[in-house]
Amino acid sequence: MDAIKMKTVVEILRAYYELGLSQEEIAQQQHLSKSKVNRIIKKAISDGYIKITIDYPVTPVQDLEEAFIREFGLKKAFIAPVVVDDPEMICKDVCRALAHDLPAIVKDGDIIGLSWGNTLRVLSGFLEKTERNGVKVVQLNGGIARNTKSTKSLEIIEAFADAFQGIGFILPLPAIVDNSLIVDVLKKDSQIGEVFDLIEKCRIALFGIGSVSYESVLYSAKYFKREEYEELQKKGAVGDICSRYYDINGKVVDQTLDARTIGISRETMKKKEYSIGVATGEQKVKAILGALSGGYINTLYSDENTAREVLRLYYGQLNRQKSKRKF
């Protein structure tokens, strides 16, 4: 690095970041110019020797939280402020908040059910070690992709099991199979049946809320041909939870497809003490409203931009319904 020995570079970096010395103090110690020290630090950052993480508290937007609890009867809503209007940063803020709250929810002997997807992958990266006994972590829906596109389902289960010192149980099956008879046969297998028993018993179900877009993990994983996906959209599908598709009112859009889906049922989702949905981004607005309308979640984690759009859409629907009743 600029003809400076690595040992000297490490000394400079540790003095600056760990000991809190000024660049001028380091320059005097190393018999270098202050500008030279500055260049070394900048080069170390660009070369990846230094990774900077800003770990700040995420203060919720209370008026929006109260609106969601009031309008949808939620157990809890956490709406993160948008500090930096960047989709990736917003998702990280929401996931960081949820990861912080989970230790207060998870008890000894709990069974935690998890879906998979990009948001859950981000969430798993913020988990911290929490001392718990007898925790089990179970996959809520099939997660094997039909191509090399990974769903990261195993990594997510392992991360949660490791964080809560528990045991992970996977559902080593596709999310959607060719017909409902296959689903019935698979559920009769003793090992698969054990996983479904855990799904039924889990007190906490935590899942991402998927949108119906060509960027979705299910579409990328080749579960649908393009014409099949277009047909799903024509039927009014706006989102999915655990690979089960619904419309803006939370209703099933395709009974046959639903019967071919492997994982937690809609009825079981609604029975959980905690059914936690996490979603960010304005492309998820209709999907979130559908999930709320269908009663699939009783706890929501999202961001203020998305939350405002969900409420705007919801109130717009109510106004249209009122207008129709006048005639």
Side-chain angles (χ1 to χ4, degrees):
M1 177 188 283
D2 201 20
I4 298 291
K5 290 183 179 179
M6 182 55 68
K7 180 176 181 294
T8 303
V9 172
V10 173
E11 288 174 355
I12 290 171
L13 296 177
R14 298 198 69 172
Y16 187 66
Y17 286 102
E18 295 180 2
L19 299 179
L21 299 183
S22 69
Q23 292 184 19
E24 187 172 349
E25 290 172 323
I26 296 169
Q28 291 174 356
Q29 285 185 355
Q30 296 292 337
H31 306 291
L32 298 169
S33 67
K34 182 181 175 182
S35 61
K36 182 74 170 180
V37 171
N38 183 265
R39 286 198 301 273
I40 290 170
I41 292 172
K42 286 184 176 179
K43 184 75 164 54
I45 293 173
S46 64
D47 287 347
Y49 297 137
I50 301 296
K51 300 185 187 302
I52 299 172
T53 301
I54 304 173
D55 190 7
Y56 53 87
V58 182
T59 305
V61 184
Q62 191 171 358
D63 62 324
L64 288 175
E65 292 182 344
E66 291 171 353
F68 273 87
I69 292 170
R70 180 181 66 250
E71 298 295 344
F72 301 103
L74 297 180
K75 181 189 292 283
K76 177 179 180 177
F78 182 95
I79 308 300
V82 174
V83 180
V84 179
D85 198 3
D86 175 83
E88 186 175 335
M89 294 300 296
I90 291 170
C91 181
K92 286 181 177 180
D93 278 350
V94 173
C95 288
R96 184 187 293 112
L98 177 50
H100 178 268
D101 290 350
L102 278 175
I105 297 173
V106 178
K107 302 176 182 178
D108 287 349
D110 260 338
I111 303 173
I112 308 170
L114 301 172
S115 70
W116 42 262
N118 294 324
T119 303
L120 268 290
R121 178 184 55 79
V122 174
L123 171 62
S124 66
F126 286 105
L127 297 173
E128 294 186 1
K129 297 279 186 180
T130 302
E131 189 173 339
R132 292 289 182 273
N133 296 313
V135 170
K136 295 178 181 178
V137 182
V138 62
Q139 188 176 324
L140 291 174
N141 57 319
I144 296 177
R146 291 191 174 184
N147 60 9
T148 55
K149 179 81 172 181
S150 175
T151 60
K152 306 292 183 183
S153 55
L154 180 57
E155 293 177 25
I156 294 166
I157 295 293
E158 289 178 338
F160 271 79
D162 185 53
F164 292 100
Q165 302 177 19
I167 302 172
F169 294 82
I170 63 170
L171 194 56
L173 300 168
I176 301 169
V177 292
D178 289 341
N179 61 67
S180 60
L181 293 176
I182 296 174
V183 177
D184 295 337
V185 170
L186 289 171
K187 283 185 175 181
K188 291 177 182 177
D189 177 85
S190 59
Q191 293 184 45
I192 300 301
E194 180 185 0
V195 176
F196 270 94
D197 186 51
L198 291 173
I199 290 173
E200 289 293 325
K201 292 178 179 177
C202 70
R203 187 175 71 92
I204 304 163
L206 199 166
F207 29 69
I209 300 173
S211 61
V212 182
S213 73
Y214 294 106
E215 286 74 43
S216 77
V217 176
L218 279 168
Y219 184 76
S220 299
K222 298 297 181 184
Y223 276 106
F224 299 96
K225 295 177 181 176
R226 190 175 184 89
E227 56 270 22
E228 292 173 332
Y229 209 58
E230 289 174 352
E231 184 62 27
L232 196 61
Q233 292 171 315
K234 289 177 182 177
K235 290 179 178 179
V238 297
D240 83 280
I241 290 178
C242 294
S243 312
R244 297 192 183 277
Y245 286 88
Y246 51 82
D247 64 15
I248 195 72
N249 298 308
K251 305 297 183 183
V252 182
V253 293
D254 188 323
Q255 293 286 358
T256 301
L257 174 63
D258 204 61
R260 296 193 289 117
T261 302
I262 295 179
I264 186 171
S265 69
R266 298 167 189 275
E267 293 72 24
T268 302
M269 289 180 202
K270 297 177 183 181
K271 295 176 183 176
K272 300 305 178 187
E273 184 174 342
Y274 283 93
S275 52
I276 305 170
V278 53
T280 62
E282 294 184 30
Q283 76 280 4
K284 298 285 185 77
V285 167
K286 291 182 179 179
I288 294 171
L289 181 55
L292 291 166
S293 300
Y296 303 129
I297 62 175
N298 60 31
T299 303
L300 174 67
Y301 278 74
S302 191
D303 66 276
E304 65 174 313
N305 288 353
T306 306
R308 292 188 195 282
E309 289 302 315
V310 172
L311 288 175
R312 186 174 290 115
L313 180 60
Y314 172 68
Y315 291 137
Q317 284 185 320
L318 289 182
N319 289 334
R320 285 191 293 273
Q321 290 171 4
K322 288 178 181 178
S323 297
K324 287 179 182 179
R325 284 198 290 268
K326 291 180 181 178
F327 295 97

